[in-house]
């Protein structure tokens, strides 16, 4: 422990940190050394309330005994088994448990190690599915402006976040984008899903008319866009997308990496909105963020379309060394047990009204230009400092950390997504931290 506390800037240079202002961080590092339930402990011994479930992933809270024990036991029993042409029991057990939890008809699951890999897997499945069905011309992929689908080439190609795309060349060909659904002039301070904007789904018809449906494999959207700053689907929007996709034989992929596993108060956003996609990508909450894992759920019809050639042949030339890694499976089973025992996959529904009221109590605080919420997700959008976008929100992040709360910021938006074990008292505490921070920053 003591060694870990003695970090100096010199020790920090080797690690090129992901999505981090490296030079700024290394001048004034922020370090966590332990965590339990709703709190982290920093290297200087302070408790910090986790307002973000890590990076939206520690859904059941930190260092939960069932998960820790499952990992410890599995590590001593079977540490690794080859993922290709070999199996081990708990990966099948986990697949069955997940399929039981998934929306009806999503009977099969493919394992990955992250949300980014889940997205690549889903996109490849969609294109290959059409090909095995004899519609090999369906190769186009449609994403959405401001969408986040991880950082691999397929994901940034269908994604719509400019900073994540502009440095990396021409990306995948044959990709188009629908417009995002953020309409602050009409929907600011909406509680839950906003009233206006369902007609934006009709933009998909325009794209279909341009390219012809026979060239389009799939549409991928986040049911609720998280990483881009929490953008909600307008009332009726997802239903419309579903109808248009079905009409044209286009697969609908829901990227549920953030919304999966209870974040909205239902197991999946598909359940919450009553719209079932053809493919659903997940990660994060599947293993409580403790061991990397992702899972792609597919409708029976898609899976079965691949099960046709000679039986000794591999049906889908895709997979990862660590697909269904035994220790990750153990972590996921421990996670599912914890969710079940504590009713966490629906706890968000009970807490959502309280959460909504608490968040919207910030409406008249300095800099606030919009507040958005759904399930246990909240966003507080701040007016940017003229000429210095993101600076105000970043100061809020640093101040909140100093005061004892972990929040996330993206652009000038504060995004909150606490573990689903949060109490009402801790919701008050988190919102009070944000209130004090807003009053303290320039
Ligand atoms: N799809 C969606 C919808 C996501 O939100 C990914 C794919 C990629 O997952 P991996 O496991 O490869 O990171 C994500 C990840 C944030 C934040 O603060 C969001 C994500 C990751 C890190 C930070 O908004 N989303
Ligand atoms: N690069 C090389 C040289 C490899 O041998 C492999 C896997 O065998 C990979 C990349 C892919 O690694 P993973 O299966 O962990 O995604």
């Amino acid at each position: 422990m003591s060694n870990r506390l003695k970090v100096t800037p010199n020790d920090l240079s080797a690690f090129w940190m992901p999505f981090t202002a490296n030079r700024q961080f290394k001048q004034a590092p922020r370090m966590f050394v332990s965590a339990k339930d709703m709190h982290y402990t920093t290297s200087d011994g302070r408790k910090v309330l986790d307002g973000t479930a890590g990076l939206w992933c520690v859904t059941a809270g930190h260092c939960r005994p069932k998960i820790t024990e499952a990992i410890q036991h599995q590590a001593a029993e079977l540490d690794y088994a080859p993922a290709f042409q070999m199996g081990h029991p708990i990966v099948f057990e986990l697949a069955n448990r997940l399929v039981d939890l998934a929306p009806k008809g999503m009977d099969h699951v493919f394992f990955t190690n992250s949300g980014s890999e889940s997205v690549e897997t889903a996109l490849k499945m969609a294109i290959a599915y059409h090909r095995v069905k004899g519609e090999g011309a369906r190769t186009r992929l449609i994403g959405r402006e401001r969408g986040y689908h991880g950082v691999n080439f397929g994901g940034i190609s269908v994604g719509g976040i400019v900073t994540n795309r502009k440095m990396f060349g021409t990306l995948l060909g044959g990709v188009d984008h629908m417009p995002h659904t953020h309409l602050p002039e009409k929907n600011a301070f909406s509680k839950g899903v906003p009233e206006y904007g369902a007609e934006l789904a009709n933009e998909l018809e325009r794209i279909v008319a341009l390219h012809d449906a026979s060239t389009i494999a799939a549409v991928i959207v986040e049911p609720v866009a998280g990483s881009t700053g929490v953008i909600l689907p307008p009332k009726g929007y997802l239903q419309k997308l579903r109808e248009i996709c079905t009409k044209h034989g286009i697969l609908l992929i829901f990227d549920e990496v953030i919304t999966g596993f209870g974040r909205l108060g239902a197991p999946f956003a598909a359940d919450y909105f009553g719209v079932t996609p053809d493919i659903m990508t997940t990660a994060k909450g599947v293993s409580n963020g403790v061991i990397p894992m992702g899972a792609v759920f597919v409708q029976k019809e898609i899976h079965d379309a691949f099960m046709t050639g000679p039986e000794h042949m591999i049906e889908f030339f895709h997979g990862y060394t660590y697909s269904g890694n035994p220790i990750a499976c153990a972590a996921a089973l421990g996670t599912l047990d914890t969710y079940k025992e504590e009713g966490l996959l629906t706890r968000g529904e009970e807490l959502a009204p309280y959460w909504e009221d608490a968040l919207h109590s910030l409406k008249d605080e300095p800099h606030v230009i919009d507040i958005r919420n759904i399930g246990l997700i909240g966003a507080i959008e701040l007016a940017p400092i003229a000429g210095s976008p993101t600076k105000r929100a970043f100061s809020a992040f640093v101040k909140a950390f100093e005061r004892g709360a972990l929040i996330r910021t993206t652009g000038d938006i504060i995004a909150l997504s606490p573990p689903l074990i949060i109490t009402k008292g801790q919701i008050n505490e988190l919102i009070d931290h944000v209130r004090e921070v807003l009053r303290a920053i320039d």
Side-chain angles (χ1 to χ4, degrees):
M1 181 73 131
S2 56
N3 274 346
R4 277 192 279 160
L5 297 181
K6 283 188 203 141
V7 284
T8 66
N10 279 344
D11 297 325
L12 305 179
S13 69
F15 175 31
W16 186 349
M17 297 171 71
F19 274 120
T20 297
N22 274 257
R23 290 158 301 160
Q24 195 267 5
F25 178 93
K26 289 166 189 179
Q27 299 285 319
R30 298 172 291 277
M31 300 276 207
F32 290 135
V33 293
S34 64
K36 184 70 195 139
D37 300 328
M38 281 299 301
H39 292 89
Y40 296 97
T41 305
T42 63
S43 51
D44 53 356
R46 293 183 308 114
K47 287 257 179 294
V48 173
L49 180 65
D50 187 355
T52 60
L55 292 176
W56 309 77
C57 50
V58 187
T59 314
H62 295 272
C63 291
R64 302 306 311 274
K66 276 257 147 76
I67 306 173
T68 313
E69 285 159 20
I71 293 168
Q72 285 170 336
H73 174 81
Q74 188 61 43
E77 174 117 346
L78 175 68
D79 51 354
Y80 180 79
F84 307 163
Q85 306 283 20
M86 288 301 299
H88 60 90
I90 68 168
V91 70
F92 292 96
E93 182 187 347
L94 177 62
N96 285 316
R97 292 269 302 269
L98 287 170
V99 162
D100 286 346
L101 203 61
K104 208 167 160 295
M106 309 211 84
D107 289 350
H108 300 276
V109 61
F110 194 101
F111 289 112
T112 72
N113 309 289
S114 66
S116 296
E117 288 181 358
S118 289
V119 166
E120 304 305 298
T121 300
L123 298 176
K124 288 173 72 177
M125 260 178 196
I127 292 172
Y129 163 76
H130 291 295
R131 179 162 160 143
V132 297
K133 293 254 295 179
E135 289 194 80
R138 284 191 184 263
T139 58
R140 278 184 200 283
L141 301 167
I142 313 298
R144 194 165 58 177
E145 293 165 355
R146 292 190 71 165
Y148 186 71
H149 300 293
V151 293
N152 294 341
F153 270 106
I156 60 173
S157 301
V158 292
I161 297 181
V162 183
T163 44
N164 293 357
R165 290 162 54 87
K166 69 178 183 189
M167 305 289 274
F168 308 110
T170 52
L171 313 183
L172 277 192
V175 173
D176 211 337
H177 291 77
M178 299 182 290
H180 63 70
T181 64
H182 186 40
L183 304 171
E185 55 299 338
K186 285 189 165 160
N187 289 326
F189 298 102
S190 291
K191 294 185 172 174
V193 291
E195 208 53 50
Y196 300 102
E199 69 285 353
L200 288 167
N202 296 331
E203 289 292 308
L204 180 56
E205 285 284 14
R206 188 184 57 76
I207 291 172
V208 170
L210 177 66
H211 298 296
D212 199 77
S214 67
T215 70
I216 302 177
V219 167
I220 180 166
V221 291
E222 302 158 88
V224 173
S227 192
T228 189
V230 182
I231 302 183
L232 306 189
K235 253 179 214 157
Y237 173 89
L238 292 171
Q239 285 79 359
K240 261 191 204 217
L241 276 191
R242 176 70 275 183
E243 282 163 26
I244 299 170
C245 285
T246 303
K247 178 174 142 199
H248 294 293
I250 298 168
L251 297 183
L252 178 62
I253 304 171
F254 274 0
D255 188 347
E256 294 229 25
V257 167
I258 276 175
T259 53
F261 301 97
R263 179 54 54 199
L264 303 187
F268 298 94
D271 303 307
Y272 183 93
F273 292 109
V275 176
T276 308
D278 300 294
I279 306 180
M280 195 169 78
T281 54
T282 71
K284 297 195 191 258
V286 67
S287 57
N288 206 37
V290 176
I291 303 271
M293 174 166 258
V296 180
F297 294 80
V298 292
Q299 292 279 354
K300 181 174 178 349
E301 187 202 332
I302 295 175
H303 166 270
D304 290 354
F306 284 88
M307 303 298 143
T308 50
E311 287 195 4
H312 71 280
M313 282 292 292
I314 291 167
E315 296 100 356
F316 183 41
F317 282 85
H318 178 77
Y320 302 99
T321 301
Y322 308 116
S323 285
N325 170 282
I327 300 177
C329 289
L333 286 168
T335 299
L336 295 185
D337 288 343
T338 307
Y339 290 158
K340 189 165 174 194
E341 276 165 26
E342 301 177 14
L344 295 182
L345 297 185
T346 49
R347 188 158 190 271
E349 188 185 7
E350 289 154 47
L351 281 179
Y354 193 87
W355 173 250
E356 178 174 281
D357 288 346
L359 268 171
H360 283 268
S361 76
L362 297 168
K363 183 171 185 192
D364 296 321
E365 297 301 335
H367 319 301
V368 175
I369 57 172
D370 188 16
I371 295 176
R372 305 184 278 279
N373 69 284
I374 188 166
L376 269 192
I377 301 178
I380 303 135
E381 182 148 4
L382 310 182
I385 295 173
S388 298
T390 77
K391 199 167 170 201
R392 179 166 279 147
F394 189 71
S395 323
F397 165 74
V398 174
K399 271 254 166 4
F401 173 73
E402 287 165 359
R403 284 185 56 89
L406 183 71
I407 64 174
R408 276 284 294 161
T409 65
T410 170
D412 275 296
I413 301 160
I414 296 172
L416 301 175
S417 56
L420 302 174
I421 58 167
I422 194 170
T423 63
K424 289 182 176 172
Q426 287 163 337
I427 290 177
N428 296 344
E429 197 187 319
L430 178 63
I431 298 297
D432 285 343
H433 278 305
V434 175
R435 191 185 314 282
E436 291 308 319
V437 162
L438 291 172
R439 291 177 183 176
I441 56 174
D442 293 330

